[in-house]
Amino acid sequence: MIIHYSPYFDSDPFIDFQKRNNLLFDEIVVGNKGLLGELELRSGLVCETLSDVEREANYYNVLKKVVDSHPDSFMKKSFDVDEYGVASELLRWRDELVLAGWTSEIKGVSDKLDLMAEVERTAVQEGVNIKGESDRWKAIFESNARFLEDDDELLVYFPEDLLPPWLAGFLNKLKERGVHCTFQNVKENLAPGNTNLGKLQHALLNPDDPIDHSFSEEDSNSLRILRFERYDDALEYMVNQEAKPNRVYINSDNRNFDNFQRVFNKPLSGSSLKNASPEIVQLFKLGLSLFIAPLNIYNLLSYLQIHIHPLPAELRYQLIRVIIEEGGIINEKWEKVIGEYQNVDDPKELKKRKKKLQLLPIYKDFNDQISVEKLGEFVTQLQHWAHGQRHAPEGGYKELEIQAFSSLINLCNAFRVILNSQPEGYTSSDRLKSWILSIYRPSDYIYTNAQAGSAFVIGSPAAMLDPAEEVVWMDCFEGTPKATCHQFLTQEEFRSLENEGLHLWSEEAQVQAQLYEQRRAVLQCRSKCTLLVSNKNRGERVSEHPLITRLQTQFDHAESIVKHHPEPTGQMEEVEKHSLPETPLAFELNRENLFTPREKESYSSLSSLIQNPLDYVFQYQLKIYDPGVNELSDEKRTMGNVAHFFIEKLVNDAHKDLDTMKKLFRDEFRNRFNNVVMQKGAVLLLEENKILQKRFYRLLQQSVNNLLALIETNNLRVEGVEVHESCRLERQFELEANIDLLLNDENGQPVIFDLKWTDSKNSYNRLIKDNRALQLEMYRKVLDRARQDQTAAVAFYNLKKGRLISSYGFKGDTVVKVEPENTADIFAQAMNAYRYRWDQLQRGVIEVAEGLELNNLEYVNESERENLYPLESDYHNSTIKATNPFSNFKTFKGGLQ
């Protein structure tokens, strides 16, 4: 058997099957993993290893015992800051050393290596498995087995002096034992010597040759550099090129190229997701983050929105709606959804559902002491679910999802190992956060599989078993060599370990190996080589590839082979251009009586009809609402909601008694604030909102204090919060009012406070001054008619400023009295406007005109004659109509830019 080996053959290398008559009889092609497996199979050597994350967990446990037993250890402080992260890094160092021949018997080199040796010995003594791939190689290196038979041959496609020294030494031992092992080095250029490609190959193979290097300007085919501004431009260019059977493409991350091939209906070449975190795997990180106080509400939303999930989709949808609508959790609606989910008669089903709810770790007593037992229940349930899905015959999951389930199982196993080693019953949020961030890391997953007739893409320029007629390097940028192995060793440690006989890999040798990897694709090309160079990738500027730099500095006339921004080949079509729609004055439907007046209206719907008829038609007539994007309210709106809810809870819990309200406010403000924030303003719990929450706490405290003082000073009695009233307007509709805070004066007459949270200093002052406080006037009229009584006063209360704004004579230092500039009956104007707008709608006319001149509108021109409520103008220009910034229908108003 012939074994073809290169460190870069683990992924599919290029094999010229045409030259080989489509056969590889009694031959195998292997990379590092494949060669290791073949040698183990032939020698019978077995080494039990765990997944990477499970090894890390075991190593962490052993390291923790060693560090705890040495409180004066040099790494004690680092370990306390990031226990698991330090363990992961030490394990990586340990694996590099084991490959080089290190054992725990080597002592006295440094405190660092002595500590690692003690960890090694402790793991052996306690029977903890920390072995990995490096230990499997170590067993091979130490074995006296011959491994290969007399008629076997090992062909190595990488220079012996550039291989890692431990591997080069092993191959030499094989040769000494009589194994046929030869190195298939490229010794001469494959392209004709008079071509530019041939000249480049000669220069790469003979770096010390003093010959003058110069490209021929007449040869524009054998070697080309195509320079693009963006990497995506290069991919789009290549996807439109005609595929050829003996053309090899090089692309280190082929996902984007496959995406372009999918768009252009071309066969896919196969690709991986690099450093990816599939949704299924994110269940681990997001789920565990729910234990951390304070709760990150966005993590909870993301957790519930994951498509493949152990919790039922309907339950998750209901909980998401509660969070979006209410702004928080553990409120009345949240408890109702959870209660309904558990409301089943079958005891077995109830037990099953309660167990599932362990995967929703939301508790009322959020604190920094996290139960290790509850963490264990969560990861155990998550692991069992993932295992069941991974092996379910009826699952029908894609390959990527199956891989993700396997990763999730490994993460849960590793986390359980950590939990089982914890001596205390509780852990802290900081420690849990450290565990999550260290254990959870992105991985590579198969994204697409190669399809028949696709372009053949290799991930490394050295992944070529045979030469190719043509090579296209699609991402020939960046690639500066960088040594990564043994970087943790000081120079003194490096020399001492070499004296101990370890096969350490020097920085210079690592860099030279990477440079050869980059050159090999060019050396393996017979006739045509194209290098695609991009200035930017994903919007960021990228560095020049070392090969391009060498080519441009070593050769004269290098610019002659460069082509800038080449146009894609293929038939080009002229695309007809259409102008985006502008804001219309109105839509004319040429149809009458299309709409039906509603039985009930409110201030919100009436103001929409008057100011923004198109929004009214879409929302209240066609019933087209917000599509339900799962987004929380912004911080400003959230603070207003929390402030409203705080006052509502305070009033209701005190049974509307002022003295009780004052006592609850004085004694329980902190607890009440925390509860309402959790229920209505969970976004304020985010770490980035810490300062904002503290400021909000002080503002709300002062505001509520002022409000209670106002009520007392003016001898008012609270009747209720969120009071709903309505009255029937003759031959028209029922008008509804939802009053934030309803009080009574000394004479028992109603007093209306409308609560507002606003940054504006005088917007509500101006509304009263301009006699445009339509909301207050509507509430007053509804209450008067519903109760057959006269409302004594109405006012806005600015919750943020702690100020009462009114045209009535309230007493107190926090009262702002504003006199209206006119006495027009704005309620009558609004009713006239209602009739006018409905007349327009029934004629098929829907006004828009946002941002346009008011004088062009029929409504404005007839306002005086019809006594209509005035339209709102732009804040900066009173001659144009104001736009509605909260509209969901801007597309129809010229909103496409």
Side-chain angles (χ1 to χ4, degrees):
M1 173 180 282
I2 297 176
I3 301 175
H4 302 273
Y5 163 74
S6 166
Y8 300 94
F9 283 178
D10 271 322
S11 57
D12 291 338
F14 172 70
I15 303 172
D16 190 350
F17 283 103
Q18 287 186 340
K19 300 280 186 183
R20 296 173 178 270
N21 297 319
N22 293 320
L23 289 175
L24 266 182
F25 184 71
D26 203 26
E27 299 178 49
I28 59 172
V29 181
V30 295
N32 286 336
K33 293 183 183 297
L35 179 62
L36 176 59
E38 188 68 22
L39 295 174
E40 286 178 328
L41 177 66
R42 288 167 175 264
S43 62
L45 293 172
V46 177
C47 179
E48 182 186 0
T49 60
L50 303 173
S51 68
D52 289 341
V53 291
E54 290 173 295
R55 286 184 65 225
E56 287 178 354
N58 280 348
Y59 195 86
Y60 159 79
N61 284 336
V62 179
L63 177 62
K64 182 171 174 56
K65 290 181 180 178
V66 172
V67 172
D68 288 347
S69 66
H70 296 284
D72 298 330
S73 169
F74 73 97
M75 68 165 53
K76 176 65 175 173
K77 290 184 179 179
S78 298
F79 190 74
D80 288 343
V81 171
D82 184 6
E83 295 181 345
Y84 201 93
V86 169
S88 300
E89 187 67 7
L90 280 183
L91 180 59
R92 184 179 67 81
W93 297 356
R94 177 256 181 207
D95 287 344
E96 291 181 9
L97 289 174
V98 168
L99 276 174
W102 174 81
T103 70
S104 61
E105 303 305 316
I106 298 176
K107 301 178 182 177
V109 174
S110 68
D111 291 343
K112 175 172 61 185
L113 296 177
D114 285 348
L115 179 77
M116 294 173 65
E118 185 173 349
V119 173
E120 204 78 9
R121 292 191 295 270
T122 304
V124 173
Q125 291 167 5
E126 300 197 358
V128 179
N129 186 3
I130 60 173
K131 292 182 178 180
E133 188 175 302
S134 61
D135 298 273
R136 295 168 60 195
W137 275 113
K138 180 183 177 183
I140 294 292
F141 296 158
E142 294 177 348
S143 172
N144 292 321
R146 193 164 181 267
F147 295 105
L148 303 180
E149 303 296 332
D150 291 339
D151 56 348
D152 291 333
E153 187 173 4
L154 178 61
L155 304 182
V156 183
Y157 294 79
F158 209 79
E160 183 176 7
D161 59 326
L162 296 181
L163 286 171
W166 52 84
L167 191 56
F170 171 69
L171 295 179
N172 271 323
K173 286 183 181 178
L174 289 183
K175 287 192 288 186
E176 291 170 2
R177 296 171 190 171
V179 173
H180 297 290
C181 177
T182 57
F183 289 84
Q184 308 298 299
N185 298 335
V186 181
K187 298 179 180 178
E188 57 184 28
N189 46 295
L190 298 178
N194 61 341
T195 64
N196 289 336
L197 177 58
K199 293 175 182 178
L200 177 59
Q201 290 176 345
H202 179 82
L204 294 176
L205 291 169
N206 305 277
D208 299 326
D209 193 333
I211 188 173
D212 182 34
H213 300 297
S214 178
F215 286 136
S216 169
E217 297 183 13
E218 297 178 0
D219 178 13
S220 60
N221 192 49
S222 69
L223 180 63
R224 298 186 303 162
I225 297 177
L226 305 183
R227 188 174 285 277
F228 299 85
E229 181 61 24
R230 301 181 309 132
Y231 177 48
D232 284 353
D233 298 335
L235 296 179
E236 185 176 356
Y237 174 85
M238 287 312 306
V239 82
N240 285 295
Q241 303 299 304
E242 182 182 354
K244 294 182 180 179
N246 208 276
R247 175 188 287 164
V248 177
Y249 297 81
I250 304 168
N251 199 13
S252 58
D253 185 353
N254 201 49
R255 180 178 52 162
N256 281 1
F257 186 52
D258 261 358
N259 287 339
F260 272 103
Q261 292 189 118
R262 183 182 281 116
V263 168
F264 286 91
N265 200 27
K266 300 289 183 71
L268 305 182
S269 302
S271 58
S272 298
L273 289 171
K274 304 285 187 181
N275 292 319
S277 298
E279 273 194 338
I280 292 170
V281 183
Q282 290 181 40
L283 286 168
F284 175 83
K285 177 178 71 173
L286 293 172
L288 284 173
S289 74
L290 303 182
F291 287 90
I292 296 172
L295 173 73
N296 185 316
I297 194 66
Y298 288 122
N299 282 356
L300 176 56
L301 272 175
S302 299
Y303 178 71
L304 294 173
Q305 289 171 333
I306 290 175
H307 177 60
I308 299 174
H309 201 289
L311 293 174
E314 179 60 25
L315 172 64
R316 289 184 288 116
Y317 173 77
Q318 295 295 339
L319 294 175
I320 289 169
R321 294 315 309 163
V322 170
I323 295 171
I324 300 304
E325 292 169 6
E326 297 296 306
I329 61 171
I330 318 182
N331 46 49
E332 186 177 337
K333 289 186 178 180
W334 178 277
E335 299 292 357
K336 181 181 178 183
V337 170
I338 298 295
E340 288 176 351
Y341 176 68
Q342 297 183 88
N343 186 22
V344 290
D345 296 329
D346 186 353
K348 289 184 178 179
E349 178 63 20
L350 177 60
K351 184 178 179 181
K352 179 180 174 183
R353 293 192 176 194
K354 283 185 175 180
K355 205 164 189 179
K356 275 193 174 182
L357 285 175
Q358 290 178 348
L359 292 164
L360 185 66
I362 301 297
Y363 306 102
K364 292 183 179 180
D365 55 338
F366 271 99
N367 58 66
D368 195 52
Q369 291 297 303
I370 302 168
S371 167
V372 170
E373 181 182 358
K374 283 187 168 64
L375 287 171
E377 290 173 352
F378 175 83
V379 292
T380 300
Q381 287 297 317
L382 189 59
Q383 180 196 23
H384 288 169
W385 170 79
H387 189 273
Q389 299 299 306
R390 168 71 175 79
H391 298 285
E394 72 283 358
Y397 292 115
K398 300 175 183 176
E399 176 62 29
L400 174 60
E401 294 163 345
I402 293 173
Q403 295 175 69
F405 280 127
S406 297
S407 295
L408 180 56
I409 293 168
N410 289 335
L411 289 171
C412 291
N413 282 335
F415 198 78
R416 289 173 64 191
V417 170
I418 292 175
L419 294 179
N420 291 337
S421 69
Q422 298 306 306
E424 304 91 3
Y426 293 88
T427 190
S428 66
S429 291
D430 286 341
R431 178 174 286 186
L432 175 57
K433 198 180 301 182
S434 170
W435 290 343
I436 296 170
L437 293 176
S438 299
I439 293 176
Y440 180 90
R441 59 175 63 97
S443 301
D444 295 348
Y445 298 87
I446 295 173
Y447 180 56
T448 57
N449 293 309
Q451 297 176 339
S454 63
F456 189 88
V457 181
I458 57 176
S460 164
M464 296 183 67
L465 176 65
D466 297 319
E469 287 300 317
E470 183 178 353
V471 170
V472 177
W473 195 337
M474 292 193 288
D475 59 346
C476 192
F477 50 82
E478 294 189 325
T480 302
K482 183 179 179 181
T484 58
C485 192
H486 305 323
Q487 293 303 291
F488 59 92
L489 294 174
T490 65
Q491 291 184 356
E492 185 178 345
E493 288 172 336
F494 195 95
R495 286 193 298 269
S496 297
L497 289 175
E498 279 192 322
N499 293 335
E500 292 283 349
L502 267 67
H503 302 289
L504 300 176
W505 202 3
S506 69
E507 288 189 20
E508 182 183 356
Q510 292 178 59
V511 169
Q512 291 301 320
Q514 292 173 42
L515 289 173
Y516 180 81
E517 176 201 358
Q518 296 170 355
R519 297 195 298 267
R520 186 169 176 85
V522 177
L523 297 175
Q524 288 283 80
C525 183
R526 294 184 184 278
S527 60
K528 186 175 181 179
C529 181
T530 303
L531 308 175
L532 273 60
V533 178
S534 304
N535 296 330
K536 292 181 180 179
N537 183 22
R538 296 187 178 94
E540 296 184 2
R541 188 161 293 277
V542 295
S543 60
E544 197 90 297
H545 194 280
L547 183 63
I548 300 296
T549 302
R550 178 173 181 177
L551 181 152
Q552 292 177 330
T553 56
Q554 192 170 354
F555 284 83
D556 295 331
H557 307 300
E559 190 60 30
S560 66
I561 65 171
V562 179
K563 188 171 183 180
H564 295 269
H565 312 295
E567 292 290 335
T569 58
Q571 186 175 358
M572 308 294 287
E573 293 183 12
E574 282 290 333
V575 178
E576 184 180 355
K577 295 182 179 179
H578 298 275
S579 299
L580 293 173
E582 297 179 349
T583 304
L585 277 174
F587 287 111
E588 297 189 11
L589 306 180
N590 298 320
R591 292 280 301 276
E592 295 185 354
N593 300 317
L594 283 173
F595 307 111
T596 303
R598 293 174 2 121
E599 282 294 317
K600 295 182 180 181
E601 298 285 4
S602 64
Y603 165 72
S604 298
S605 62
L606 274 180
S607 60
S608 177
L609 173 64
I610 296 169
Q611 182 71 24
N612 307 108
L614 184 64
D615 293 73
Y616 178 87
V617 167
F618 276 124
Q619 184 170 347
Y620 296 105
Q621 288 293 311
L622 302 181
K623 308 296 184 186
I624 300 175
Y625 297 99
D626 187 323
V629 177
N630 293 325
E631 292 182 355
L632 288 164
S633 299
D634 60 30
E635 288 80 359
K636 289 182 181 179
R637 186 175 297 182
T638 296
M639 287 188 287
N641 293 339
V642 172
H644 273 77
F645 188 57
F646 183 95
I647 293 170
E648 180 183 346
K649 289 284 292 177
L650 182 66
V651 170
N652 289 335
D653 291 349
H655 304 289
K656 306 169 190 174
D657 178 70
L658 180 60
D659 289 335
T660 308
M661 278 187 260
K662 290 166 64 178
K663 185 176 188 308
L664 292 176
F665 171 76
R666 182 180 62 251
D667 298 342
E668 301 178 7
F669 183 82
R670 166 58 72 182
N671 288 337
R672 288 179 164 274
F673 178 83
N674 291 341
N675 287 335
V676 296
V677 167
M678 178 67 78
Q679 294 178 51
K680 290 284 186 177
V683 70
L684 299 174
L685 298 173
L686 297 175
E687 188 68 26
E688 59 264 32
N689 289 333
K690 200 177 220 178
I691 296 175
L692 177 65
Q693 187 198 135
K694 288 181 179 179
R695 182 167 176 264
F696 175 54
Y697 177 93
R698 293 193 298 269
L699 287 172
L700 183 61
Q701 190 175 38
Q702 185 61 54
S703 181
V704 176
N705 184 66
N706 291 356
L707 179 61
L708 295 178
L710 277 168
I711 294 173
E712 185 174 33
T713 301
N714 289 276
N715 297 316
L716 301 176
R717 182 180 58 81
V718 177
E719 181 178 326
V721 286
E722 300 297 324
V723 177
H724 178 81
E725 292 286 357
S726 64
C727 70
R728 186 77 189 176
L729 299 182
E730 188 177 354
R731 298 190 304 277
Q732 294 187 61
F733 54 87
E734 186 174 328
L735 183 59
E736 297 180 312
N738 291 297
I739 301 168
D740 291 337
L741 183 58
L742 182 61
L743 309 107
N744 298 117
D745 66 8
E746 294 175 297
N747 301 317
Q749 289 182 294
V751 175
I752 296 172
F753 283 3
D754 192 62
L755 309 180
K756 302 293 184 185
W757 183 275
T758 177
D759 290 323
S760 176
K761 292 181 179 180
N762 56 10
S763 59
Y764 291 99
N765 305 49
R766 193 170 60 248
L767 280 179
I768 295 175
K769 182 180 179 181
D770 296 342
N771 193 19
R772 292 181 60 88
L774 183 58
Q775 183 176 13
L776 292 180
E777 187 62 17
M778 281 191 177
Y779 287 1
R780 187 176 68 81
K781 289 289 187 183
V782 169
L783 199 59
D784 288 354
R785 297 191 184 191
R787 297 191 174 185
Q788 300 295 308
D789 195 1
Q790 184 73 30
T791 300
V794 294
F796 291 118
Y797 184 73
N798 187 333
L799 287 164
K800 187 171 185 181
K801 305 294 182 183
R803 295 287 184 270
L804 189 74
I805 308 162
S806 178
S807 62
Y808 293 85
F810 290 97
K811 295 181 290 184
D813 295 337
T814 57
V815 175
V816 180
K817 191 171 187 296
V818 181
E819 294 291 342
E821 290 185 340
N822 66 75
T823 58
D825 187 345
I826 57 175
F827 184 78
Q829 288 179 337
M831 294 303 101
N832 293 337
Y834 170 85
R835 288 187 289 271
Y836 185 89
R837 285 301 195 198
W838 265 107
D839 179 67
Q840 283 186 316
L841 293 181
Q842 299 301 47
R843 289 189 283 114
V845 177
I846 307 175
E847 179 192 287
V848 183
E850 293 184 13
L852 301 182
E853 289 290 334
L854 285 166
N855 289 337
N856 294 331
L857 303 181
E858 178 184 322
Y859 181 98
V860 173
N861 294 328
E862 297 190 17
S863 287
E864 186 174 351
R865 182 171 63 86
E866 299 288 342
N867 191 27
L868 305 178
Y869 184 76
L871 296 181
E872 184 180 349
S873 62
D874 184 78
Y875 182 80
H876 299 288
N877 187 345
S878 61
T879 66
I880 64 175
K881 183 181 177 183
T883 58
N884 179 10
F886 304 108
S887 174
N888 292 316
F889 313 105
K890 294 178 183 178
T891 301
F892 302 93
K893 305 176 184 180
L896 293 174
Q897 301 296 331

